[in-house]
Amino acid sequence: MLERKWLRLRYQLKSIIGQAPKRVAFLHIPKCGGTTVFQHFKTNIGGGRSGKIAQFDSVNFSTLDDKTLERSRRARFVSGHFGWTALTKTSADAFRFTVLREPYDRLVSLYKFSRAKQHSDNPIFSAVFEAAKQRSFEDFCLSKEPELKTLIDNAMTRALADDYYPYSPPEPRYVLHWAKQHVDQLDLAVDLADLDDTLPTLAKITGTKLARRRQWRNKTPDAPVKVLPRSEFESDEGLMRVIAQDCMLYRHVFPNRS
């Protein structure tokens, strides 16, 4: 508590002496470590009532209303499960970044996390949680319902091309083309595997400071859950279609990763 107060005071003093850090806009793709990133900036800048941070979700604002848009434009840090369209409307003059994740690992994490979660007020996440409890990993990945495909079917690519919600069947080449164009326009794209090592650099760029005690938020549960091994997943054409665009986007951003 005392450290959080000090970090927020430190951030405020920078503004008072004319060294205000640049605004920050974070495109938070589900199950890509975004809650940990959000907690870092919340600890440094302020809580939701302060007006200094703004968080919203495309599920609740498929079109940004004027009130949410204005609040987000005033905030020093804006974040949420939204896509490129919302990012461009709220990130003028901001440092813009996102975190990506190896696509198979992201699906495994989404499935395990969803099986362990009991409730969500968000209707999309609630449907995903319930489906994961009732279905095998393969059936979960191949879900046909639009509300489930929202988070499952090439979600990273769709978020960066336009938005992950509402789900609409993507035209692969078009969506991938724009996702690549847009991710290249960001100031930073981080691989989740490198997040711990990148956080100090991110803190320096954004005028924030790492807390002494950091915790990973919404971490994938360690409880054993049966999932299809990577080799078998990759040999199944139907399953691979679910992450094919995400795989190409991931290789585009991180070409040296296998």
Side-chain angles (χ1 to χ4, degrees), residues 181-208:
Q181 291 282 318
H182 293 157
V183 76
D184 288 345
Q185 294 174 32
L186 294 175
D187 296 294
L188 181 67
V190 181
D191 188 341
L192 179 64
D194 300 329
L195 185 56
D196 270 336
D197 292 335
T198 307
L199 275 174
T201 301
L202 183 62
K204 183 177 181 180
I205 292 171
T206 58
T208 54

Side-chain angles (χ1 to χ4, degrees), residues 4-232:
R4 184 176 64 184
K5 288 182 178 180
W6 159 243
L7 290 176
R8 292 179 179 180
L9 177 60
R10 174 183 175 275
Y11 189 90
Q12 293 171 17
L13 288 173
K14 284 177 172 285
S15 300
I16 292 172
I17 64 176
Q19 297 178 4
K22 196 172 185 178
R23 291 183 66 240
V24 179
F26 171 51
L27 194 157
H28 177 182
I29 299 170
K31 299 315 299 170
C32 288
T35 305
T36 297
V37 173
F38 174 79
Q39 192 64 34
H40 165 75
F41 285 98
K42 180 181 178 181
T43 298
N44 275 266
I45 298 175
R49 295 181 180 180
S50 69
K52 295 173 184 175
I53 68 170
Q55 189 176 33
F56 64 92
D57 193 312
S58 289
V59 172
N60 298 319
F61 297 99
S62 55
T63 56
L64 276 172
D65 62 69
D66 292 341
K67 184 177 180 180
T68 302
L69 186 59
E70 181 58 30
R71 184 174 71 249
S72 299
R73 286 173 171 168
R74 290 197 309 266
R76 303 305 303 170
F77 174 72
V78 58
S79 171
H81 293 310
F82 50 71
W84 184 262
T85 301
L87 181 72
T88 56
K89 290 180 179 179
T90 59
S91 62
D93 302 321
F95 175 85
R96 306 186 303 174
F97 76 103
T98 193
V99 179
L100 303 178
R101 186 173 191 169
E102 195 285 320
Y104 170 80
D105 287 346
R106 195 193 78 85
L107 267 190
V108 170
S109 177
L110 177 65
Y111 181 66
K112 290 183 175 181
F113 176 80
S114 298
R115 285 178 61 89
K117 294 294 286 186
Q118 298 302 314
H119 172 74
S120 174
D121 293 330
N122 183 308
I124 298 299
F125 280 93
S126 180
V128 171
F129 295 167
E130 188 62 27
K133 292 178 178 65
Q134 297 178 0
R135 304 179 189 182
S136 68
F137 177 60
E138 300 96 293
D139 289 343
F140 175 78
C141 294
L142 295 173
S143 297
K144 301 299 184 183
E145 300 92 325
E147 64 269 25
L148 303 181
K149 290 171 78 69
T150 288
L151 296 183
I152 295 170
D153 189 350
N154 293 290
M156 295 193 299
T157 305
R158 290 188 294 104
L160 281 160
D162 180 17
D163 206 339
Y164 79 101
Y165 177 87
Y167 176 83
S168 60
E171 199 291 311
R173 287 179 295 179
Y174 172 82
V175 174
L176 182 61
H177 167 79
W178 285 111
K180 288 180 177 179
Q181 291 282 318
H182 293 157
V183 76
D184 288 345
Q185 294 174 32
L186 294 175
D187 296 294
L188 181 67
V190 181
D191 188 341
L192 179 64
D194 300 329
L195 185 56
D196 270 336
D197 292 335
T198 307
L199 275 174
T201 301
L202 183 62
K204 183 177 181 180
I205 292 171
T206 58
T208 54
K209 188 175 178 61
L210 294 178
R212 286 195 299 271
R213 293 183 179 180
R214 285 181 284 138
Q215 294 181 342
W216 277 86
R217 306 288 172 146
N218 285 349
K219 189 176 180 180
T220 302
D222 293 328
V225 174
K226 185 178 179 180
V227 298
L228 198 67
R230 182 187 295 272
S231 59
E232 295 181 40

